[in-house]
Structure formats: C-alpha cells, structure tokens
Amino acid sequence: MGTRVSTLRTLITRYCVGEENWVDSRTIYIGHKEPPPGAEAFIQQRFPDNRIVSSKYTFWNFVPKNMFEQFRRVANFYFLIIFLVQLMIDTPTSPITSGLPLFFVITVTAIKQGYEDWLRHKADNSVNQCPIHVVQHGKVVRKQSRKLRVGDVVLMKEDETFPCDLILLSSSRDDGTCFVTTASLDGESSHKTYYAVEDTRAYNTEKEVDCIHATIECEQPQPDLYKFVGRINIYMDSEPVARPLGSENLLLRGATLKNTEYIYAVAIYTGMETKMALNYQSKTQKRSAVEKSMNAFLVVYLCILICKAFVNTLLKYVWQASPDRDEPWYNNRTDTERQRHIVVRVFTDFLAFMVLFNYIIPVSMYVTVEMQKFLGSYFIMWDDEMFDEELGERAVVNTSDLNEELGQVEYVFTDKTGTLTENNMEFIECCVDGHVYVPHAICNGQVMPGATGMDMIDTSPGPGAREHEELFFRALCLCHTVQVKEEETVDGIKHGIHQGKSTSFYISSSPDEVALVEGMTRLGFTYLRLKDSHMEILNREDEIERFQLLEVLTFDSVRRRMSVIVRDSSGELYLFCKGADSSIFPRVVSGKVDEVRARVEHNAVEGLRTLCVAYRHLSPEQYEEVCHMLNGAKLALQDRDKRLAEAYDVIEKDLILLGATAVEDRLQEKAADTIESLHKAGMKVWVLTGDKMETAAATCYASKLFHRNTQILELTTKRTEEQSLHDVLFDLSRTVLRQHGGMTRDSFSGLSGDCTDYGLIIDGATLSAVMRPTQEDYKEIFLDICRNCSAVLCCRMAPLQKAQIVKLIKASEEHPITLAVGDGANDVSMILEAHVGIGIMGKEGRQAVRNSDYAIPKFKHLKKMLLVHGHYYYIRISELVQYFFYKNVCFIFPQFIYQFFCGFSQQPLYDTAYLTLYNISFTSLPILLYSLIEQHINMDILRKDPSLYRDIAKNSLLRWPIFIYWTLLGVYDALVMFFGAYFLFNNTTFTSNGQMFGNWTFGTLIFTVLVFTVTFKLALDTHYWTWINHFVIWGSLVFFVVFSLLWGGIIWPFLNYQRMYYVFMQMLSSGPAWLSIILLIAASLLPDVLKKVICRTLWPTTTERIQTYAAFGYVPTLLDRVKAKKGCESALDYQSYVTLLDGIALREA
Amino acid sequence: MMASSYNAKDEDGHITVTGPGGGAVLRSKKPENTAFKQQRLPAWQPILTAGTVLPAFFIIGLLFIPIGIGLFVTSNNIKEFEIDYTGADTSSPCFNCSQNFSWNSTSPCTCTVPFYLEQPYESNVYVYYGLSNFYQNHRRYVKSRDDSQLNGNLKSLREPSKECEPYAYHNNKPIAPCGAIANSMFNDTLELFYNDPNGTSVKILLGTTGIAWWTDKHVKFGNPGGVDSNLSAVFQGTTKPLNWRRPVYELDSDQSNNGFVNEDFIVWMRTAALPTFRKLYRIIGKSSQMVPTLPRGNYTLEVVYNYPVRSFEGRKRMILSTISWMGGKNPFLGIAYITVGSVCFFLGVVLLVIHHKCGNRNNGAEISN
C-alpha cells in the first residue's frame, strides 16, 4: 500500500497543482475566508477530501486487479505459463492437472484478499461516514467525515477521535490547552497537552470562531508524527500577526480528545494526507534464510527440469530417426501433424516434456509453506509462558514469514533501557556540590547527607551550600515536562503523590523525569501543578512557591539535555538545565565540577543513570535576547529544527553546576539468565545503548553479558584520544588474534571457563570514526575483533547508528542472521534493519512493537521464542522443504524413466487424477501437520540445554549435502519403484486367472508404492506422534485407497476416457501386486532407515544424543547429578555435561 | 527465484482505529491453556535407534526370506513354453509369410510351426501371444480411442472423438471402432494341434471366453443399441477400421462375443505398459482329472499370418503357460524377496555389532538405573 499511497499522493498533488506549481508549503484559509487583499498573494491549492481509502479494490476492478497482482508473482506466473502451454499445444497431461491446483491457489488467495478488502471497505465506510461537527457561518453543522475539507473549522467534543490532522484554535479551557491521548497512534496512553495559539484562544464559541480571519502556512504533509512546522497569520484589524505553529499545536488524526469539554480546530491535512495515513506504509518485506535456500533449490530443480526435458527431446529425435519408429504402420500421425515444421515439432516436444515433468516444482509447496507459516505463528501467540500477567499482554506476531529465522539467529542486538532493564526508574540519590542525599535516609522530612563511605572533600556545608542545595531541588522541580493528573484511573505510568486529599499522578513521556520529581517530593520539594504558566512548588516549609514558566527548551537525543527558563516571585530569571554529564560539563563555567564528576562516575559504575543539573542567572536583557532568538527560530518555516538547535546551543552556556542525580533502572526479571542462555546457544549478544559507558557496562555485568573473567577491550574516545584509532584497532586485533592463534579452539571454547573471553566496549563517536567510508580496512579489522568477542557493548549510540551496526554485521562476509530487540522509538531503525526485529511492549510507547516482526512482553520471553519456537519452526520448515522436493522427485523421476520405454512419446505414467491430487491431497496433509506440531525434542530440554540451538545454526538442515542426500534418496526410491515394477511386469502374468494388466495398472502400482513410501518416510521422521498425527498419516493413506476405489469404481459420465475403470480393484485382486507393493515399500525405505540408525549410533549429533537419553528417561537424573557436581545450574555447559554423562554411564556400565 | 510468497501481508495497510484496551480486553488476551495450544499434546515419541530397529530388521529378514523362497519355488513349478513364429530367419517356417506380406492380399498366408513339450501341462493352460518392440504405450497410440463409442454411445458411433484421428473417418464415414489401437488389432489366428504318438493330429479346443476383464466386457465395453440389437443394422453407416478384414460386427458368430464386446478386441484395447508384452489369447480348459491338459509330446502351431511386424523389427511369440496363485512364471519376485530379506538380515547383524561396540555408551545408562 505504501508505494501506492505515495504515488497516489504524488499524482494527486501533481494533478492539483501541476508540476511547476509544486510548493513546499501549503496555505490554508481558515473557514475558507480569503485573506484581505493587501496580504501577499498565496497560491490557492486544491486538497483532497477527507476520504480514507485503505481498501485496495473496488467491486469492479477486483477480478482483473487481483489476478494481475497474483500473477505478478514468479511462481504463479510459472504455473500459469505451464497451464497455458497445456491449453495451447497437445500435451501429455490434461490442463486440469496444473489448472486445478493453480485455480485453487488463486481462488483461495483471492477470497482471502477479497475478504480482507471487504473488511477494509467496511472500516473505511464507518470512518468516512462518521458524523463531524463543522462550523459554517456561525452555526454548527453535521457533516460526514469524508466531506470534510481542508480549511473547515471543526468542533470536537470530549472522547471524540480526530477525523483529520487539525490545528487547535481554541478550547473550552481558558488557557487554550487540551489533552489528548495518542494511544492508537503510538501506544502512549499518557495524556499529552496541546496548545492553541495565544491569539485565537479567546474565540471559543461558534460565532466567535467564525470571526477568525486567518491563514495557516505549513509544510506539505510528511509522515513524521512528531514534526510539524507552520505559521498562522491572523488578520486582526489591519496588521497581520504571524505566530509559529509546531507539533504542540497539531492534533493528529486518530488521537482522542480527553479531559477537555470541547475544542475548535481547523483541518489542515485531510484524507490520505494525514500523518497517520502516511505512516501506515508497508515495511520492506524481509526474507528468511530458509526462503533463500528454498529459492536456490528451486533453481536447481528448474535446471533439472530443463535438463530432463532437453535430454528427452534430444533422445526422442535420435530414436525417431528411423521412420519405422517414428511412424510405424499401427500408429500414424494426422496430416496436420505431419505438415508441421520440424522446428515447431521439436519445440512443442520440448514444451510437452516440460509440462510432463513440471510437477517437480510443486505449486502446492508454496501453499503449504504459506499455510505452515501462517498457522504455525499461532503457537507463538497462544503460548502461555509468553503471556505477561503484569502487562496483560501476550506475544504478537506481525509477520509470520520469519518464524524459522528465529531458529537461525547468530547475533542479538539488544537495547538496554526498557529491554534489558525494567525502565522503571527509581530515584536513588542526588549529589549537590559533592554532598550526597539519599531519600531513604530521610526521617520526617529531615534530609541527612549520606555519610557512608563518601570520599567527598567538603564535609561541612556552609550557608552558601545550603542555598545551592535548595536551588538544586527547585531546579529539579522546575526543569521537566511532567504533568500532574488528578484522576486515579490513568493508564500507563502511575505514581501516586499525596497532595492534600486528592490523589494525583505524575505523568511524563520520560520515566526518568517522573522518578526525579518524585524523588524531590521525598526530599521535601513537591511539584504541584502548572497553572496559568506558573509552576507551583510546595517547599519544605509547606509554603507554595510560584515560578513563571517562560520557556521550555525541550529535550532531544542529540543535545541530550533540556532547559527551562523561569521567573521567580522576586522577578529574578533563571535558566535551569539538566542533561547527560557529557553534554553538561563542557558548558559549565563554575561549580564543584570535580566532586560532582567523581560522584557521577561512581554512580555510573554502579549501573545508575545519572543526570547533571546546572543553572544560569539571566538578566532581563539576556532574557530579551533569548526570547528574540527563540521566537525567530520558532517562526522559521524552513530548517526550524536546525535553527532551534542553534538557538539552544547559544542559550545553554555559561552554566553553573549544581549537582547530579542518580536513578536506578532495575534489570528485567531473568534478563541475566536469558542472556546467558543466548550465549550458550552460540549467539553473540551486543548491547546497543544511548547510555554512557560506565552505566551500560555495569548493566552488562549485572546481566552476565560480561563475566568476571571477561577481558574487556575498550575502543572508546578516551583511548583514541591517547593513541590514534589506527593503533588502537591494531592493538586490539593483535590481542584477540594472538589468543585465537595460540589455542586450538573448538566450537565450544567460547563457553568453557578456562579460555579467555573477550568483551568489547565501543562508543558512538569511535564507531562513526571506524565506519567512515574512506576507511574500509578499519571496518574489516573491527569486524575481526568483534567476531572474536563473545559480547560487545556499544554505548552512546544514536538511533541511526544502531541500525548502522546491524547493517555492518549483516553485510560482513559470513552474512550472519541478526536479531534486534528493543522497546523504544530509538530502536525502530535497528528493528527494521535486522533480519528479525523484536519489539518489547515496554513503557516507551508502541512504536517498536508496531515496527517489529514479533513483539513480546518481556525480554525473558526471548529465550523461549528463540530456543524453543525458533528451533521448532526451523526444524519443521526445513523438513517441509526437503520433504517436498524429495516426494516430487519420487513422483516425477519414474515418469522420466518411463519415457525410455514408451518411445519418448511423453506418455504419462500416472492417471490425470493421480497427477493432480498427489500433491494436493494424498501427500499434503501429513507434511503440513508435521510442519505444525513436530517436536523432535521436548521443549523443556530445549530450554534447559541452549547449546542444542547450535545444532541447527547456519541453516544446517538446508545445506547442500543434505539437500543432495534427499534428492538422491528420492532418485533411489524412484529407481526402486520403477524398476521393481518393471521387472515384475515385464512379460509375465500378474493374476491368477491369466488375464493381463495394461499400462494404467503399471502406473497405478508405482503410484501406490509411491504414496505409501513417501508417507512412511514422513512417519519415520516424525518424532512426536499425537493422535492428530496418527489420524492424518493413516487417514491420508486410507483416503488414497478409498479415492482410488471410487475413482475406478464408476464409469464417470463427464470424462471422455475411462482408462482407470476397475484398474485399482483388479490390481488389489492380484496376489503378486500385494507382495510387490510390500517389497518395494520396504526396499525404498531401507537405506534411509539404515542411514539414520548408523549415523545416530556412530556419529550422533548433540540433538540425537539428547533424544536417546530422553527416550530412555535418564536426562533428569543424570542432569541432576551433573548439576550437583558442578554446583550450580547456570554453569552447566553442554560439553562438560556430555563428558560427565558419558563418564557416569561408563563407570556404571 | 520462484519462491515469491503467497503472503498478502505486504498489501495490508489496514488502518484500525481502536481505543486503548480496557480491563476486559486485557483479560481475554491470556492464551487458553489447552494442551494443543501449548504444544503439549500427549505424544508417543519414538526414535530410530539401533536397538529399536534391530528387531525390525531381523523380523523383516525372517519374514521375507521364506516368502521369497516360497515364491521362487512356486514360480519354478510353473510351466511355460514360448515359441517365436515371427519368421525373421530363412529357416523359420513362417519366413515366407512374413516376406510376402501385403495388406491387400485376399488369400491368407498360413504357416505351421512344430514344437515339442517336454513336460505335461496339468492344470488350465493359458495361451498368450506376445509382441516385441511394439509401442502400445506410445502416447499418440494410447489416447487414440473413444471410450464413449466403445461403451455403446450412438452419438460417438456416428461422430468419433477427435482423439481417434487419423483413424476416425474413412471416406467420410465414421470408423467403428475408431482409433489407432482398434485399427491395429492383432489378427493372427493361432491353432494348436496335438500330434498323437499314434500319428493322428488332434485339434486342441481353445476357449475364447474369460480372457478379458469381467468389468471390461460387461460394463466398460458395450454394443450400441443394447444387448439384443441387430449389430449389422446398428453399425450401418459406419465403416470398418482400415486394416481390418471384417467389420466389427462380424468378429464372432456368438452374439455375446461380437461387436465391441468381443473379448479378443477388449484384450487388445487394454494397452500394454511396455514395448514387449503378451496378451491372453485363449484358455485351454482342463478336461478331466486324469489326463493332463497338454500331455508331453509333439505339437503343431498353425498360424494364419496376418499381422506384419517386420517393418518395425518386431517379434511375435506364442506362449503356453500354467498359472498359480501368484500368476505366471516370474522368478524376479521370489529373488527380490530373498535379496531384500537377506540384506535386512545382514544389516541386522551389522547393526548388532555396531550397537554393541559403539552404542554401549548410549545404553550403558540403561543398566545404571
């Protein structure tokens, strides 16, 4: 839909404004009132109406358009071509054999898509027809939503959802604010405040609103939800006033009005141009490694197909060289055939052979794979263990295409905050000028400087210090964007504070801020509310202090700080700034920098999140200047962000350091266990975080990413300042490689404790230096180092850098499968970039979840997702793919050999019904079921023994040798079946009454053996026999027999041939036929069974050993004994486990 | 390149506008704790280890070898005699007939082939004719028939299917039966004479019924106009196949074996699977318990040589065979059974050795607990 929308958009705009008239901004006349003639001339543009079209088809174009879409897929197109060839030329098999399956597939897909589109139509209609109140000529009129036009003034009431993107003009509240939840857009259920422009605030009745005479200039619609720049020109009296508009004025379609009685707003983006519509663009489709292997196999089979057809055509003409063979007297051609040119004949023959053998690439495989993926993904959603009681959420599957990729992951990139940690901030301490204040040491509002093990120099705070301390607390109470909610039922972040009798909550998009403000409450300063641009604080003496909030310099991830400018009751102006230490310290001119820095570093090592707080006095002149600068930047239509950033940069300087805060973000439950399991499963875990190095490293130690004996390699700015990047890189690589070369590392060395483990820490700045495009060899060395490190921590990362890292690893020569897991908007880029993107349903909204392929409630669920579900899906789909090719080789190869015995005449061996139904019904259900519920190992064992995951690493079940084995097995079976039947049939009687069988009995005999053999082969591969397996496997065999009896039991009136009449029954009435069927089945299955048993006995894989142990029921006891020996469960690694197990077993034997 | 998926997800841009879920919605999100959904259905979990497969190998071996021996013995007890009467060699009695063959000759060429049966044939004896290098399984040939016509459909009788081309019409008259198969029906007449040691030559009675499948004769094939119709009248307006000497309604004097339900015709119409094939021609019924059906001695095969095979280097044979419960002589099945059985048995022994040498690691644990 994405490209469609955008092309639609381009088309619309082109159509409307013409290519040359294309402008970057649009002008909207509020209430469709022309600006006064004196104003500058605006280009009148046409905008689309507010109709939302998410549907794809109309009633009329459904059939052609859907057909076109479907046949654009290569596989469908291939089958269509085969079908058309069958229709056009005289081919051995009836067009039904390929037409019916194709028709089936196309119809099912069309029905599914049609149904989905019908639902979309319904949804569109209900949205498009929903009534909207529009102000026209001073009256409120009801209009259907789709008739809304840009420029209409809309009246919205509480709990209504905005029909399009609106600019807030006025609200029922006097301060011109309104509250909105954007839950359906980004999942953040907190209430956000939006503001009306000062000049229009007063117009809050229909009549008054109708009097507004203004135009809005704003950018053309763009998908970024959080960016908007515009300008409103208000024509009052004579002089037009221009005011800036930003995203705080823009109400987005899909958001809901809350806690506000009504608002007036003007529509600026409508229909498909709303930000929501622009945002629902499709992601690029990811393809799994299995799919790539499947494609490779297909190419091989296509080559085989072409070769077969070619060889047969060639042989046909060699064989036919003598006219007696070409046209013996008993078998003449028709005249038209004779007159055909030889080239045409050869070509037709070639096509006919292609058609005869085309089943080797089965249409049903695609259907089965699709169904397997679609149905299989339900098991993830249904998983009880991935349900989180606390959040009330279960795992979500956004795409089922990648199920098996979960079993192939080699690199895990994880975010830290909210993913490894709870993102549940708790205020731990603050430090003012080196004095540490710990809230839990407060008794009755008395603040005790924390006295335990402080290495602070100044222990006697003087009066100046006291003043600083209060200023610090006030700064924290003022410098934030926290809102106070007065109801009790607020979704999302709830924090109760007691303010008189009513209960209030602090709500903010950043949990850190809430934690800080809350911490301040515990230290005696309570932030009460923001009222009439005044922030009210309850200080320690229970007095209310009021500060006028003049400006908010909002937080952004580049600056990593935010500021407020306030005026206190005495009229003094302050700028309070809080932010990351790295962004504050360079701007500080005085204050006890060293003490604070020491404390900050100390806290960071403890794994705490630290923020520094600084302030600056502003003189009224300075404030004027600041105001001027900010307004200038805010009014700019172009590059507003850049200009704002420049302005902020100028304003936030010459700061005086007050102190620092420390907030703890606790590790998520079982995060360490999960990371350890992933490590054991052979995955490399990288933590990518925006946090500072010390904090991140501490978290890494806590989450067992780094162990005590992990040798940490640092590639940070600090080191590169001392040495050149070049030297550092070479140093590190030498360290790593010496280790690598010096020891013969087996595949388990990364785990066993005696071998040094490397952990790498790199920061964003160094990374961008490494990634500089001019330094290709740096990249290589870097990758080399990373390859030998079991864990990597990347700190100080910008969101885009996270994606870059993922891309770098993806593109490295081994092309490993990557998985990115994160919870916030800053992880979206890496989630989209990685092979598999997993979203955590965290506190930072739903953006990550929305863009992910799979979403899980907690990080710990990743373990089951990968080790159990991923493993199962991979096993299942690889068997599915291999088995499908195998059974079609078995199916088609006899037909190929038969050509040598029928004069290369393309005579099919099997009846049309068998050709058609073989893949559709006789052999389809067992493999589909297998691929849905097979469990080669118990899931508890899979979870306990992460190392089993290594057994399937690197797409091991779809490697070429295994593929060749399956193909050869198929060829062997085909040879056994064909020549078995050949020697049995050759020139002898088969019945006890002397009567003879014909070619159809010959084919049916082979086909019967075939169906039984391939079904039994699957039965031999099945390790998990539920009643459904029994039902389906035996059921499909019974179905084959019943069908054959029926098919041959009646003279079918609609068929022009009755070749199968009684063939199957006659065959069953013959003793030798039974005997040979049994014999051939046994002979076909023999080598596979033998290979399985011998491999299992002589060269068992880890998986097979575990299976054997499990089958004899010894895993628990031995495991326990091993555990007891090793002392702890987590230290159990598989190699030693097996050694111990064998040791115990041998000793006791 | 082929694996473009059938997924429709990429087109899904469906926008749903939903409010934040309330408490009730959250509750219902909890997955149902059923064995199926949690993938914990009770299941039998077999694995193929040497230990479990060993008995199966031995059992298969022990079952197959006796069966094979039984089959082999049975097959050896079946008596079969085959004589080639193509007349390709100058020494062969039918050489002249094969050389002078012409479709237009009115007088049939006859040749007699003497042979000697070394053993008496006790039970029913089945007479087959065999053809070699005759591609009855050629696609153009196999489909050159009209089953609807053969079933007695009058419309198809007048308008044979297009599949019969170029054997559908002759002189604008529909051919009945149409098609290449019917046209090339085997039309040699074989007669057997027993040369009694006392000098007389006794003609052996050849049964013509029971050689085609019962269902073919009674259901699949049928004369147009019902059982008791006058065939020559029904076939009025059609013409006989080009290579036939007689029209279809003169195939046999017996009405129940005439027209489309003539058993020789039906047998021919069942196309053979391989280019060398045999077809049942006659059955020599056992006359009494005391005398063998065909006693040991000299016989003469009298052939009315109508069927040309020289042009495509084909061969014609006459086969006499007795039949057991497992059909005609076929040593392959018995040998195959013995082979597979022995292989299984041998593999069983090999596996036993492997199992004991290398597998004790796995099974050692068995003893310990």
Side-chain angles (χ1 to χ4, degrees), chain B residues 79 120-126 284-286 292-294 321-324:
Chain B
K79 303 186 181 77
Y121 283 44
E122 298 286 347
S123 55
N124 285 354
V125 178
Y126 296 80
I284 310 170
K286 191 172 169 62
T293 323
L294 292 180
S321 170
T322 59
I323 293 283
S324 74

Side-chain angles (χ1 to χ4, degrees), chain A residues 537-593:
Chain A
I537 295 175
L538 194 68
N539 69 9
R540 284 190 193 147
E541 281 77 41
D542 272 350
E543 294 159 2
I544 291 181
E545 296 176 16
R546 284 164 62 92
F547 292 85
Q548 191 187 358
L549 180 62
L550 299 169
E551 296 286 348
V552 178
L553 285 61
T554 48
F555 178 85
D556 66 61
S557 53
V558 180
R559 248 164 75 234
R560 302 173 62 84
R561 60 179 181 270
M562 72 159 290
S563 308
V564 290
I565 300 174
V566 293
R567 182 185 284 137
D568 73 2
S569 42
S570 60
E572 282 205 67
L573 292 159
Y574 290 99
L575 175 131
F576 291 116
C577 180
K578 82 169 192 264
D581 51 359
S582 59
S583 57
I584 297 285
F585 284 132
R587 302 177 169 270
V588 166
V589 286
S590 70
K592 297 191 170 158
V593 179

Side-chain angles (χ1 to χ4, degrees), chain A residues 830-1079:
Chain A
M830 86 172 166
I831 284 176
L832 289 177
E833 180 65 42
H835 290 99
V836 188
I838 296 206
I840 303 271
M841 299 164 184
K843 298 196 169 118
E844 293 183 25
R846 280 299 163 101
Q847 285 201 64
V849 171
R850 240 178 32 205
N851 288 292
S852 64
D853 303 309
Y854 301 90
I856 47 177
K858 287 274 165 68
F859 183 73
K860 64 173 177 182
H861 297 129
L862 197 61
K863 184 174 168 184
K864 189 166 187 197
M865 190 93 166
L866 297 182
L867 298 185
V868 178
H869 287 294
H871 198 140
Y872 280 158
Y873 284 125
Y874 179 73
I875 294 276
R876 291 167 183 172
I877 200 140
S878 53
E879 172 88 7
L880 171 67
V881 170
Q882 300 278 28
Y883 178 77
F884 244 100
F885 285 116
Y886 157 80
K887 80 176 168 119
N888 281 293
V889 170
C890 288
F891 180 45
I892 286 309
F893 211 72
Q895 204 149 246
F896 171 70
I897 310 169
Y898 191 54
Q899 298 312 307
F900 290 81
F901 297 91
C902 70
F904 305 100
S905 60
Q906 302 122 21
Q907 170 63 22
L909 188 56
Y910 319 112
D911 179 55
T912 306
Y914 287 158
L915 282 173
T916 314
L917 293 180
Y918 176 72
N919 275 317
I920 295 184
S921 51
F922 298 150
T923 59
S924 60
L925 274 186
I927 182 62
L928 178 64
L929 190 80
Y930 175 97
S931 65
L932 285 176
I933 67 175
E934 166 71 356
Q935 294 178 23
H936 62 303
I937 295 185
N938 216 313
M939 58 172 101
D940 301 321
I941 300 176
L942 277 184
R943 208 169 12 192
K944 265 185 214 144
D945 249 331
S947 54
L948 289 173
Y949 195 81
R950 289 157 183 260
D951 259 20
I952 55 162
K954 296 261 171 214
N955 208 358
S956 66
L957 298 180
L958 291 174
R959 292 220 191 108
W960 287 107
I962 298 182
F963 169 71
I964 291 168
Y965 169 75
W966 277 87
T967 306
L968 289 182
L969 189 69
V971 171
Y972 164 81
D973 285 357
L975 289 174
V976 166
M977 285 185 273
F978 183 83
F979 285 104
Y982 174 80
F983 283 115
L984 291 165
F985 249 75
N986 196 11
N987 209 18
T988 183
T989 316
F990 229 54
T991 56
S992 51
N993 60 5
Q995 291 167 358
M996 294 304 295
F997 287 154
N999 63 324
W1000 298 116
T1001 314
F1002 181 67
T1004 306
L1005 180 80
I1006 293 178
F1007 192 78
T1008 310
V1009 175
L1010 169 73
V1011 169
F1012 277 83
T1013 304
V1014 296
T1015 309
F1016 286 151
K1017 158 76 184 152
L1018 188 69
L1020 285 174
D1021 286 352
T1022 306
H1023 293 107
Y1024 194 75
W1025 284 84
T1026 64
W1027 65 269
I1028 314 175
N1029 290 77
H1030 284 287
F1031 179 75
V1032 167
I1033 287 191
W1034 312 128
S1036 69
L1037 291 179
V1038 168
F1039 173 76
F1040 163 70
V1041 173
V1042 169
F1043 173 85
S1044 300
L1045 291 175
L1046 204 73
W1047 184 237
I1050 304 173
I1051 295 279
W1052 290 96
F1054 56 86
L1055 290 177
N1056 57 0
Y1057 54 84
Q1058 308 294 343
R1059 49 172 93 131
M1060 292 306 287
Y1061 187 66
Y1062 256 71
V1063 162
F1064 193 70
M1065 274 80 111
Q1066 285 283 353
M1067 187 184 81
L1068 291 189
S1069 70
S1070 131
W1074 281 88
L1075 286 173
S1076 40
I1077 288 173
I1078 293 166
L1079 174 80

Side-chain angles (χ1 to χ4, degrees), chain B residues 284-321:
Chain B
I284 310 170
K286 191 172 169 62
S287 48
S288 77
Q289 290 297 318
M290 310 305 288
V291 199
T293 323
L294 292 180
R296 195 174 149 202
N298 283 309
Y299 290 82
T300 313
L301 169 69
E302 242 186 66
V303 183
V304 181
Y305 201 106
N306 289 327
Y307 205 73
V309 292
R310 231 168 56 88
S311 64
F312 52 88
E313 291 160 359
R315 310 287 277 182
K316 297 198 281 192
R317 291 160 296 150
M318 192 276 305
I319 301 127
L320 295 173
S321 170

Side-chain angles (χ1 to χ4, degrees), chain A residues 56 76 120 295 324 330 366 382 384 393 401 876 898 906 935 988 994-995 999 1024-1025 1058 1075 1148, chain B residues 3 6-7 11-12 29 38-39 41 44 128 135 137 139 143 147 167 212 271 273 311 329 337 368:
Chain A
K56 196 167 175 178
N76 278 348
R120 270 178 239 151
N295 284 354
D324 289 333
Y330 56 85
Y366 300 98
W382 282 336
D384 208 11
E393 295 280 1
D401 286 348
R876 291 167 183 172
Y898 191 54
Q906 302 122 21
Q935 294 178 23
T988 183
Q995 291 167 358
N999 63 324
Y1024 194 75
W1025 284 84
Q1058 308 294 343
L1075 286 173
E1148 294 183 1
Chain B
Y6 282 84
N7 201 338
E11 295 111 340
D12 277 0
K29 272 191 178 174
Q38 301 310 319
Q39 304 195 64
L41 280 177
W44 172 51
Y128 296 90
Y135 284 83
N137 57 6
R139 181 160 70 94
K143 66 175 185 173
D147 278 339
Y167 304 99
T271 48
S311 64
K329 197 177 187 76
Y337 259 94
S368 67

Side-chain angles (χ1 to χ4, degrees), chain A residues 55-159:
Chain A
S55 61
K56 196 167 175 178
Y57 309 107
T58 65
F59 183 75
W60 303 109
N61 73 7
F62 176 74
V63 173
K65 194 169 171 188
N66 186 263
M67 289 297 109
F68 175 73
E69 296 272 322
Q70 291 204 45
F71 286 119
R72 230 172 36 179
R73 296 183 181 124
V74 186
N76 278 348
F77 188 68
Y78 165 78
F79 294 111
L80 179 70
I81 292 294
I82 293 283
F83 177 64
L84 291 181
V85 166
Q86 279 177 308
L87 279 184
M88 282 184 305
I89 66 166
D90 169 43
T91 54
T93 55
S94 126
I96 294 172
T97 53
S98 62
L100 194 67
L102 183 67
F103 178 74
F104 175 75
V105 167
I106 296 286
T107 319
V108 168
T109 316
I111 288 173
K112 183 178 153 235
Q113 292 181 352
Y115 175 70
E116 281 168 357
D117 205 57
W118 179 69
L119 288 183
R120 270 178 239 151
H121 269 288
K122 248 175 62 171
D124 286 356
N125 278 343
S126 72
V127 170
N128 286 337
Q129 286 169 6
C130 117
I132 297 296
H133 300 278
V134 177
V135 179
Q136 273 179 350
H137 310 300
K139 281 188 197 121
V140 175
V141 186
R142 278 161 72 102
K143 248 189 182 182
Q144 280 188 349
S145 165
R146 66 191 164 102
K147 292 189 177 143
L148 205 64
R149 304 297 305 256
V150 168
D152 280 348
V153 177
V154 184
L155 166 69
M156 302 298 304
K157 297 194 174 141
E158 187 166 355
D159 290 331

Side-chain angles (χ1 to χ4, degrees), chain A residues 427-432 437 439 468-482 506 512-528 535-537 540 545 547 562-564 566 574-579 584 609-615 658-663:
Chain A
F427 182 79
I428 297 298
E429 61 160 55
C430 59
C431 148
V432 185
Y437 298 82
H468 254 183
E469 173 198 313
E470 296 212 332
L471 193 59
F472 174 82
F473 291 158
R474 285 194 186 102
L476 280 178
C477 280
L478 297 171
C479 182
H480 56 73
T481 54
V482 169
Y506 289 131
D512 291 73
E513 287 195 330
V514 175
L516 287 177
V517 175
E518 215 182 36
M520 284 307 108
T521 312
R522 281 158 47 198
L523 285 173
F525 282 79
T526 311
Y527 169 61
L528 293 177
M535 293 174 114
E536 294 178 3
I537 295 175
R540 284 190 193 147
E545 296 176 16
F547 292 85
M562 72 159 290
S563 308
V564 290
V566 293
Y574 290 99
L575 175 131
F576 291 116
C577 180
K578 82 169 192 264
I584 297 285
R609 296 161 72 89
T610 55
L611 283 175
C612 291
V613 180
Y615 80 105
L658 279 170
T661 60
V663 169

